[in-house]
């Protein structure tokens, strides 16, 4: 046997007392004295360190590097931008895997391909044979660069500290960066093989690897061996070559599409040409599709699939054990062991991990393709048949900072409900709704920036008769474009709608307004649908083209759901054929202020992508949007586009103290009417096209995509309420808007003075809107928000631009709009800031003080409250009440 | 490694302690260390016959499964059920955590005293 190879960190492993084993020709630590279970748990709970320097690191450079990689890898290499990585497979002609790998693009002119240690030689033979046809070179840099995986919920904090506070990478998985850690140059990737939502792989020059390893241990990370690496990847259902890839126990090749990750790793983009294994993979993909459609009669190309498996009886599964359904063997276990986890208590966001641990027998299996999730099977464990289930997953990673174990349990049937149960529940509903109304309107201080309370007049109008009616109407050209109603009894609401449109036109300062949309999100969808329709208006005989590129605010930088591909853009945004991803690009933000759009960088993005649609507006909003600057730029550059401003949050701030969107050059404004605006929950669309303009046609389309495109019944009760809100806003906006912005700035300054970490630019007193953002520590947002609620202060927890998801929120998002309406001024907000600091920083119970402060401000301001109005409201209440 | 003097040991790393004609059986410090984290123990039932040199159960670590070999022939009269829920006791307290007790003992493997067993382990390492 040839001598085992040693990584750059070998001496450190031995000195730490690691148990060393031969792994793919390398002398590697399988565990440290703490043991596999402790190493697994420590990674899930804090931070594990893994020496992954045994993996092969190959640099691919030269003029035809892209063509070469497109030919030998399963993935679409052109989808990789600089500082992005992708999982991929090195296929053979039969559609089997020679290896699986990760491709990194740290630099413009070369790629880094990281392959399995045991396969490196085999891969190199294959790749060197293939590369002969291409003008590019493969350089093995395994010896020059070490690789250390830093995985677990604390990994980001530790590495960020070493980076001097610089953002390590963009937040999404597979993001890359090159930076210095305490003066040592590294290449860093947000990747890993543990399933941790927070985890990095760091490439560092060999001679400096020991420094990084020891430094991270000093900071609290713990070395973990191959044993824990295996149990961690198994829990995450990540394949291991030789188990879930390669050949099965009978010696047959496992097709690539048998592995769940294949659907990410394989691309059939025309840009890939006739790559190695393409034909076989296309057949597998077709069989995979049939299997997903539950058509199992023609699946010879994919007879079995890799699935997670969980043992229900007591025992432990191991690789190679046969799996049965009845008397039929349906496959084998490919990986299996007992995996530890921290026991959770509580539900939902209040889920907490205790110090108690437990173990479960889980693994992966290669099973007949017709076997589905939730099916039960039996595993032959040394002659004993034990019951097992095919679960959906063993773990989920969509609620950072933790990877969350999912312990399989069968669903329990719901208990039957009797008529008497329902009667009691009905009564209970009235009582609890009464309590809730009292609590929110009299005792709580509401700081949710997307909410506002409505005046008595608005509330009563919303509950009156039109709430139960229909009033569909459409402009008919034969009647000189008069609105024709489809129902009788609608003359009153017809007038109301006309007056509402007129009030909103005055308010927004535009030519046309649509008020039938019943939410902000619906406003956006109606506009997106209209733009798509407008784009395809000259060719109706083909499938319509979707929109793209679209320039928007990314949700991770405060963008609203209603302008994201996973939100309202979902059905309207195109897929870029090169990247095979949604054709959206995000506004770049300032390096020193992630809450503000970087105008100069935005201009570069616009020149590069030439977006056909630009959407301003966000839900975490501290600044004015640079509408005028961007309008000027696209006009100068003659870039055909449509500029929309989704003013959802700031709809009530349109005017001198904030922004006048149409004067700045927006063509379309959408929004919801209940955040800073005074109204009930509805949407609105305004456009500034004139009748003689070409784009007036787009307005006509918007009208038809509102009705009948989005609504049939447009909820007349709240439409009536909205007219009152519009009267109030147009009458009181000057004093209200001024007060909101002054209060927000003052509140921010007071919170800062109280010792809280207020986000934003101190030079403008942190905010130009109704919102104030306070950072409370990574992942602490939900807990602090809950604590404030127990003290009758209602806020949003909010992920800042540095946080992966709402579950990792480290900030509070607050708005002064509602309390300003109830009459709060600077003094009250100063008092509130002091109470909040007591609650957040000193964990003091401030409930009584909050109630006292609120008690003086329960009467709505900025609405009509003279004697005549009071009398009319009294009559109205008597009429619509009992 | 710790090998208490009041116990006898089999070459396959089980320990035996005889109390009033009943053999109490567990695994040695050397065994638990070599296994690594014990995550599951397959136990026989009371009344089962066990044979010297043959498997009476198995112990699973994260890495692998190993047979438990009986150092004696006889009838199982007690099983340490606590190990079902807490198999890690075999790591943390291997001499305090017996696995089975055997009565009606008719035969025994060759058993070593602590010093001889320590020498045997040193050879295996």
């Amino acid at each position: 046997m040839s001598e085992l190879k040693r990584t750059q960190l070998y001496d450190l492993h031995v000195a730490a007392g690691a148990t060393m084993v031969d792994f793919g020709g390398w002398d590697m630590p399988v565990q440290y004295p703490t043991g596999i279970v402790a190493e697994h748990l420590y990674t899930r709970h804090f931070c594990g360190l893994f020496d992954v320097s045994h993996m092969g690191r190959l640099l691919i450079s030269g003029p035809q590097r892209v063509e070469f990689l497109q030919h030998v890898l399963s993935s679409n290499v052109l989808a990789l931008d600089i500082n992005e990585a992708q999982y991929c497979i090195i296929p053979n002609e039969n559609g089997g895997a020679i290896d699986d790998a990760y491709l990194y693009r740290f630099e413009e002119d070369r790629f880094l391909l990281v392959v399995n240690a045991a396969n490196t030689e085999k891969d190199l033979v294959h790749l060197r044979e293939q590369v002969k046809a291409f003008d590019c070179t493969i350089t093995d840099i395994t010896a020059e660069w070490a690789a250390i995986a830093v995985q677990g919920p604390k990994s980001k904090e530790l590495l960020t500290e070493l980076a001097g506070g610089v953002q390590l990478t963009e937040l999404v998985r597979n993001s890359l960066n090159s930076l210095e850690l305490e003066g040592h140059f590294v290449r860093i990737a947000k990747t890993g093989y543990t399933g941790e939502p927070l985890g990095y792989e760091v490439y560092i020059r060999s001679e400096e690897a020991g420094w990084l390893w020891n430094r991270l241990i000093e900071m609290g990370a713990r070395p973990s061996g191959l044993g824990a690496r295996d149990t961690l990847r198994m829990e995450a259902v990540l394949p291991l070559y030789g188990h879930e890839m390669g050949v099965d126990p009978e010696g047959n090749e496992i097709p690539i599409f048998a592995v769940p990750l294949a659907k990410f790793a394989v691309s059939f983009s025309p840009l890939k040409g006739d790559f190695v294994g393409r034909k076989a993979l296309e057949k597998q993909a077709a069989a995979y599709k049939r299997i997903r459609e539950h058509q199992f009669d023609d699946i010879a190309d994919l007879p079995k699939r890799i699935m997670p498996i969980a043992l229900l009886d007591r025992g432990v599964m191991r690789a190679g054990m046969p799996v049965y359904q009845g008397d039929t063997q349906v496959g084998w276990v490919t990986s299996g062991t007992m995996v530890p986890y921290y026991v959770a208590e509580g539900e939902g966001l209040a889920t907490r991990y205790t110090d108690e641990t437990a173990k479960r027998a889980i693994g992966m299996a290669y099973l007949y393709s017709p076997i589905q999730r939730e099916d039960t099977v039996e595993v032959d464990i040394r002659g004993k048949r034990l019951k097992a289930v095919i679960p959906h997953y063993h773990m989920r990673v969509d609620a950072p900072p933790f990877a969350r174990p999912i312990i399989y349990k069968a669903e329990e049937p719901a208990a039957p409900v009797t008529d008497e149960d329902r009667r009691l529940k009905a009564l209970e509903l009235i009582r609890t709704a009464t309590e809730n109304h009292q609590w929110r309107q009299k005792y709580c201080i509401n700081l949710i920036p997307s909410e506002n309370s409505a005046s008595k007049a608005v509330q009563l109008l919303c509950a009156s008769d039109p709430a139960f009616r229909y009033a569909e109407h459409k402009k008919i050209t034969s009647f000189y474009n008069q609105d024709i109603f489809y129902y009788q009894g609608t003359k009153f609401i017809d007038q109301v709608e006309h007056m509402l449109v007129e009030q909103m036109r005055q308010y927004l300062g535009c030519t046309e307004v649509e008020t039938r949309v019943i939410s902000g999100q619906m406003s956006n969808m109606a506009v997106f649908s209209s733009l798509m329709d407008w784009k395809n208006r000259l060719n109706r005989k083909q499938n319509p083209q979707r929109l793209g590129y679209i320039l928007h605010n990314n949700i991770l930088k405060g963008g609203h759901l209603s302008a994201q591909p996973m939100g309202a853009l979902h059905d309207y945004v195109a897929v870029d054929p090169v990247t095979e991803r949604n054709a959206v690009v995000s506004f770049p933000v300032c390096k020193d202020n992630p809450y503000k759009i970087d105008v100069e960088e935005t201009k570069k993005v616009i020149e590069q992508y030439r977006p056909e649609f630009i959407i301003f507006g966000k839900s975490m909003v501290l600044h004015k949007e640079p509408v005028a600057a961007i309008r000027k730029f696209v006009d100068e550059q003659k870039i055909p586009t449509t500029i929309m401003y989704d003013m959802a949050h700031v709809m009530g701030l349109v005017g001198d103290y904030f922004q006048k969107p149409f004067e700045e050059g927006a063509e379309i404004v959408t929004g919801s009417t209940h955040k800073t605006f005074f109204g009930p929950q509805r949407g609105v669309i305004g456009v500034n096209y004139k009748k003689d303009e070409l784009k007036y046609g787009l307005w006509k389309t918007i009208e038809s995509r509102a009705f009948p495109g989005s609504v049939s019944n447009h909820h007349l009760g709240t439409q009536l309420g909205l007219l009152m809100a519009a009267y109030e806003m147009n009458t009181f906006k000057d004093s209200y808007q001024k007060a909101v912005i002054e209060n927000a700035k003052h509140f921010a300054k007071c919170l800062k003075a109280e010792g809280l970490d207020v986000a934003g630019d101190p030079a403008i007193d942190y905010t130009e809107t109704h919102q104030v953002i306070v950072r409370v520590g990574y992942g602490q947002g939900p807990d602090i928000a809950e604590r404030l609620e127990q003290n009758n202060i209602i806020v949003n927890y909010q992920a800042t631009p540095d946080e992966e998801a709402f579950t990792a929120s480290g900030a509070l998002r607050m708005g002064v709009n509602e309390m300003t309406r109830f009459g709060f001024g600077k003094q009250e907000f100063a008092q509130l800031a002091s109470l909040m600091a007591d609650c957040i920083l000193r964990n003091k119970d401030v409930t009584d003080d909050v109630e006292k402060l609120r008690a003086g401000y329960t009467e709505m301001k900025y609405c009509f409250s003279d004697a005549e109005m009071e009398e009319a409201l009294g009559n109205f209440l008597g009429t619509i009440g009992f | 490694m710790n090998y208490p003097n009041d116990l006898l040991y089999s070459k396959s790393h089980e320990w035996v302690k005889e109390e009033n004609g009943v053999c109490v059986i567990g695994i040695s410090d050397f065994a638990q260390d070599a296994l690594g984290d014990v995550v599951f123990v397959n136990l026989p039932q009371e009344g089962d016959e066990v044979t010297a040199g043959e498997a009476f159960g198995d112990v699973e670590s994260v890495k692998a499964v190993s047979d438990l070999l009986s150092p004696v022939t006889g009838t199982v009269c007690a099983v340490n059920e606590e190990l079902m829920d807490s198999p890690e006791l075999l790591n943390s307290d291997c001499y305090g955590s017996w696995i089975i007790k055997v009565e009606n003992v008719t035969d025994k493997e060759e058993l070593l005293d602590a010093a001889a067993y320590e020498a045997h382990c040193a050879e295996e390492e």
Side-chain angles (χ1 to χ4, degrees):
Chain A
M1 201 178 86
S2 63
E3 188 134 316
L4 291 182
K5 285 179 273 195
R6 295 173 173 184
T7 73
Q8 294 85 342
L9 298 167
Y10 172 85
D11 291 342
L12 295 178
H13 302 319
V14 172
T19 309
M20 306 298 284
V21 296
D22 173 3
F23 182 82
W26 291 78
D27 205 359
M28 294 297 289
V30 68
Q31 65 172 73
Y32 295 83
T34 41
I36 296 172
V37 168
E39 289 164 22
H40 179 114
L41 289 168
Y42 199 76
T43 302
R44 292 277 182 247
H45 201 67
F46 198 88
C47 181
L49 277 188
F50 302 80
D51 179 8
V52 288
S53 306
H54 59 309
M55 301 191 73
R57 290 176 287 292
L58 311 175
L59 268 186
I60 317 292
S61 54
Q64 286 191 300
R65 60 191 180 278
V66 170
E67 289 84 346
F68 168 64
L69 290 168
Q70 291 284 45
H71 187 66
V72 294
L73 301 181
S74 62
S75 55
N76 179 11
V77 176
L78 275 174
L80 276 191
D81 214 333
I82 296 259
N83 280 340
E84 288 179 349
Q86 65 186 194
Y87 175 68
C88 55
I89 292 164
I90 305 174
N92 61 26
E93 280 298 350
N94 310 323
I98 294 172
D99 201 359
D100 64 339
Y102 238 89
L103 184 68
Y104 299 81
R105 192 174 174 210
F106 286 107
E107 301 162 282
E108 178 71 45
D109 54 355
R110 49 192 187 174
F111 290 88
L112 173 66
L113 186 68
V114 176
V115 299
N116 279 304
N119 289 340
T120 309
E121 279 176 37
K122 175 180 79 168
D123 294 344
L124 273 172
V125 168
H126 169 73
L127 295 174
R128 289 203 165 121
E129 182 57 36
Q130 293 287 337
V131 83
K132 287 177 186 163
F134 297 89
D135 183 8
C136 74
T137 54
I138 304 170
T139 317
D140 184 350
I141 60 158
T142 311
E144 287 84 66
W145 287 79
I148 297 172
V150 189
Q151 304 279 308
K154 287 282 173 186
S155 58
K156 182 168 155 181
E157 194 181 310
L158 301 187
L159 287 167
T160 305
E161 197 183 321
L162 290 182
V166 173
Q167 187 178 38
L168 297 172
T169 64
E170 290 292 324
L171 294 181
V172 291
R173 199 177 158 72
N174 291 340
S175 297
L176 311 179
N177 202 0
S178 302
L179 45 79
E180 287 196 348
L181 299 179
E182 296 191 337
H184 303 260
F185 178 79
V186 299
R187 297 207 188 274
I188 185 167
K190 197 166 190 194
T191 52
Y193 192 45
T194 58
E196 280 297 316
L198 294 186
Y200 300 85
E201 289 174 308
V202 184
Y203 297 93
I204 185 164
R205 286 194 186 87
S206 295
E207 56 276 17
E208 293 168 274
W211 165 80
L212 180 61
W213 185 262
N214 286 329
R215 186 78 182 88
L216 285 163
I217 291 171
E218 196 179 292
M219 295 170 81
R222 274 197 204 156
S224 310
L226 293 174
R229 189 168 152 82
D230 192 43
T231 55
L232 289 159
R233 69 96 196 165
M234 218 183 284
E235 196 177 24
V237 195
L238 295 171
L240 174 61
Y241 192 89
H243 286 250
E244 285 77 31
M245 271 182 212
V247 292
D248 71 15
E250 285 178 344
N252 296 317
E253 189 152 58
I254 299 174
I256 286 172
F257 266 85
V259 180
L261 282 179
K263 60 178 183 287
F264 301 108
V266 180
S267 163
F268 297 115
S269 163
L271 300 164
K272 279 188 67 63
D274 185 21
F275 66 91
V276 178
R278 178 169 192 139
K279 284 191 183 67
L281 286 169
E282 279 175 343
K283 283 188 192 164
Q284 290 175 22
Y288 176 76
K289 201 174 153 209
R290 288 192 289 274
I291 291 164
R292 294 298 302 268
E293 306 271 7
H294 290 201
Q295 294 163 13
F296 303 119
D297 45 352
D298 179 15
I299 55 171
D301 291 307
L302 199 56
K304 295 196 192 75
R305 290 187 292 166
I306 300 288
M307 299 277 234
I309 185 168
L311 206 57
L312 297 173
D313 289 333
R314 298 180 84 139
V316 184
M317 294 172 290
R318 303 287 178 181
M321 289 180 175
V323 179
Y324 288 89
Q325 260 186 341
D327 292 332
T328 314
Q329 190 186 339
V330 293
W332 302 269
V333 173
T334 52
S335 293
T337 185
M338 198 71 121
V339 170
Y341 63 93
Y342 279 103
V343 176
E345 61 183 18
E347 284 185 341
L349 260 185
T351 301
R352 295 287 170 275
Y353 292 101
T354 63
D355 290 336
E356 191 193 335
T357 62
K359 299 183 190 78
R360 52 181 175 152
I362 57 168
M364 283 182 257
Y366 187 42
L367 300 175
Y368 280 1
S369 294
I371 290 181
Q372 300 295 313
R373 309 282 163 155
E374 301 280 337
D375 281 358
T376 50
V377 292
E378 286 178 339
V379 183
D380 181 340
I381 299 185
R382 293 185 297 282
K384 249 198 262 176
R385 293 275 185 94
L386 297 188
K387 227 169 102 181
V389 67
I390 311 306
H392 288 272
Y393 17 69
H394 294 319
M395 190 182 89
R396 294 296 285 173
V397 298
D398 50 6
F402 295 108
R404 319 259 173 184
I406 305 289
I407 315 301
Y408 180 83
K409 51 176 188 270
E411 268 181 47
E412 285 174 29
V417 182
T418 67
D419 284 353
E420 180 58 9
D421 288 340
R422 263 189 294 272
R423 192 189 69 82
L424 291 173
K425 281 184 174 163
L427 200 57
E428 179 68 8
L429 178 60
I430 296 303
R431 287 180 182 143
T432 50
T434 310
E435 277 168 26
N436 177 64
H437 189 87
Q438 285 269 346
W439 181 58
R440 292 299 297 260
Q441 293 290 324
K442 304 275 184 210
Y443 301 113
C444 279
I445 291 183
N446 186 56
L447 297 173
I448 299 210
S450 53
E451 296 176 355
N452 213 328
S453 283
S455 68
K456 272 187 259 177
V458 170
Q459 290 190 42
L460 287 177
L461 287 164
C462 288
S464 67
D465 181 84
F468 320 112
R469 305 298 161 209
Y470 268 85
E472 294 172 0
H473 59 86
K474 195 172 188 301
K475 287 188 179 123
I476 303 291
T477 324
S478 301
F479 300 120
Y480 301 97
N481 257 340
Q482 273 222 323
D483 261 323
I484 303 303
F485 279 68
Y486 298 9
Y487 287 77
Q488 292 307 117
T490 54
K491 291 185 181 63
F492 169 66
I493 204 72
D494 179 17
Q495 284 175 355
V496 165
E497 192 171 320
H498 275 100
M499 291 187 283
L500 175 58
V501 165
E502 191 45 44
Q503 288 297 315
M504 292 309 293
R505 239 188 239 153
Q506 280 176 28
Y507 178 70
L508 292 171
C510 63
T511 56
E512 302 287 357
V513 166
E514 175 58 73
T515 66
R516 285 174 292 184
V517 279
I518 58 171
S519 72
Q521 174 117 345
M522 185 186 281
S523 312
N524 283 6
M525 288 176 79
V527 170
F528 303 158
S529 170
S530 307
L531 270 171
M532 207 174 119
D533 192 76
W534 176 249
K535 175 177 183 170
N536 292 284
R537 70 190 185 281
L538 302 178
N539 190 355
R540 300 286 191 193
K541 291 183 177 172
Q542 278 180 1
N543 280 327
Q545 286 177 24
R546 291 181 171 213
L547 304 172
Y549 264 79
I550 300 173
L551 177 60
H552 76 150
N553 282 300
N554 192 295
I555 193 162
L556 293 169
K557 303 278 196 296
H560 198 274
L561 269 174
S562 57
Q564 311 297 317
M566 48 97 146
L569 276 177
H570 190 270
D571 298 340
Y572 308 104
V573 64
V575 169
D576 181 324
V578 174
T579 65
E580 298 179 292
R581 287 184 285 198
N582 286 127
V584 293
V585 56
S586 302
F587 280 111
V589 295
C590 298
K591 285 220 158 52
D592 54 348
N593 183 359
Y595 301 93
K596 193 173 184 181
I597 289 174
D598 184 330
V599 173
E600 291 313 309
E601 287 299 314
T602 299
K603 288 177 182 172
K604 291 182 201 161
V605 167
I606 291 175
E607 280 189 317
Q608 186 189 341
Y609 288 89
R610 302 182 73 84
E612 65 182 88
F613 187 28
I614 298 176
I615 311 173
F616 285 104
K618 46 216 282 203
S619 58
M620 180 167 59
V621 51
L622 296 177
H623 290 274
K624 295 172 184 168
E625 295 277 81
V627 180
I630 298 306
R631 163 55 66 195
K632 185 162 174 276
F633 180 72
V634 296
D635 285 354
E636 282 168 2
Q637 300 296 312
K638 297 195 168 51
I639 292 170
T641 188
T642 299
I643 297 183
M644 167 175 138
Y645 190 172
D646 175 356
M647 296 195 76
H649 266 268
V650 291
M651 181 54 82
L653 300 180
V654 172
D656 295 334
Y657 301 97
F658 184 63
Q659 284 190 281
K660 293 180 174 172
F662 290 111
E663 283 185 15
E664 292 190 25
E667 294 161 59
I668 303 171
V669 166
T670 59
S672 45
T673 53
H674 48 268
K675 295 178 165 74
T676 44
F677 204 82
F678 294 165
Q681 294 176 334
R682 295 186 65 86
V684 66
I685 304 167
V687 306
N688 207 22
Y689 301 122
K690 293 174 190 66
K691 288 202 166 120
D692 54 358
E693 269 181 76
L694 174 66
K695 270 188 166 175
Y696 194 79
L698 176 57
W699 157 246
K700 307 287 275 181
T701 311
I702 289 173
E703 277 188 301
S704 75
R705 294 322 296 157
F707 175 84
S710 303
V711 284
S712 156
N713 182 327
H714 54 283
H715 296 194
L716 311 180
T718 52
Q719 197 178 33
L720 185 53
L722 184 58
L723 175 57
M724 176 60 74
Y727 286 143
E728 292 169 352
M729 180 55 83
N730 277 332
T731 308
F732 299 104
K733 69 176 186 186
D734 198 56
S735 53
Y736 165 74
Q737 292 173 346
K738 183 163 181 275
V740 164
I741 288 162
E742 284 179 3
N743 281 342
K745 286 175 184 286
H746 190 71
F747 186 39
K749 280 191 289 184
C750 292
L751 288 163
K752 179 76 183 174
E754 291 285 349
L756 287 160
D757 181 8
V758 180
D761 181 1
I764 54 152
D765 296 339
Y766 306 98
T767 179
E768 295 176 310
T769 70
H770 61 305
Q771 286 191 12
V772 176
I773 311 282
V774 168
R775 288 183 289 244
V776 291
Y778 184 79
Q780 298 301 303
D783 281 354
I784 301 278
E786 179 60 28
R787 189 196 300 170
L788 287 166
E789 178 174 334
Q790 283 161 9
N791 285 270
N792 284 3
I793 299 171
I794 314 286
V795 302
N796 281 125
Y797 56 86
Q798 168 81 43
T800 67
D802 301 324
E803 289 147 2
E804 289 73 13
F806 69 93
T807 50
S809 295
L812 306 176
R813 183 187 69 157
M814 297 174 285
V816 299
N817 35 321
E818 181 163 339
M819 295 320 297
T820 300
R821 256 209 120 186
F822 278 113
F824 266 35
K826 287 183 181 167
Q827 201 191 324
E828 291 74 24
F829 276 109
Q831 235 178 306
L832 176 59
S834 158
L835 292 174
M836 288 185 68
D838 277 346
C839 183
I840 295 169
L841 300 175
R842 292 174 279 281
N843 206 358
K844 265 170 74 174
D845 183 342
V846 296
T847 320
D848 290 344
D849 295 318
V850 169
E851 283 187 18
K852 246 179 262 166
L853 177 58
R854 174 72 210 247
Y857 300 89
T858 54
E859 283 299 315
M860 180 72 66
K861 307 291 186 294
Y862 309 102
C863 59
F864 306 105
S865 56
D866 53 277
E868 256 180 304
M869 178 57 95
E870 288 298 325
E871 194 192 335
L873 281 175
N875 284 338
F876 191 35
L877 179 60
T879 309
I880 68 170
F882 298 104
Chain B
M1 294 292 161
N2 171 27
Y3 307 113
N5 283 322
D6 56 338
L7 304 177
L8 294 172
Y9 301 86
S10 68
K11 284 184 174 170
S12 53
H13 306 291
E14 288 81 18
W15 58 259
V16 182
K17 187 178 185 182
E18 204 163 339
E19 293 172 339
N20 309 321
V22 173
C23 285
V24 184
I25 295 165
I27 60 168
S28 74
D29 200 9
F30 181 90
Q32 72 79 21
D33 185 67
L35 284 166
D37 290 322
V38 175
V39 291
F40 189 74
V41 188
N42 248 318
L43 298 170
Q45 291 180 339
E46 270 178 48
D48 284 359
E49 301 294 328
V50 295
T51 308
E54 290 185 12
F56 70 83
D58 52 60
V59 50
E60 306 247 13
S61 72
V62 178
K63 287 176 282 184
V65 58
S66 307
D67 280 337
L68 291 164
L69 300 184
S70 181
V72 300
T73 301
T75 311
V76 177
C77 62
V79 172
N80 186 356
E81 301 281 350
E82 202 185 352
L83 294 176
M84 293 295 287
D85 290 321
S86 305
E88 65 277 4
L89 287 173
L90 291 180
N91 291 120
S92 59
D93 184 14
C94 63
Y95 298 113
S97 310
W98 57 277
I99 300 172
I100 53 169
K101 293 183 182 179
V102 178
E103 60 185 5
N104 305 329
V105 174
T106 56
D107 191 16
K108 283 181 188 170
E109 285 273 281
E110 180 198 347
L111 295 174
L112 310 173
D113 65 14
Y117 178 62
E118 190 168 358
H120 168 72
C121 291
E123 262 171 52
E124 277 206 5
E125 218 159 4

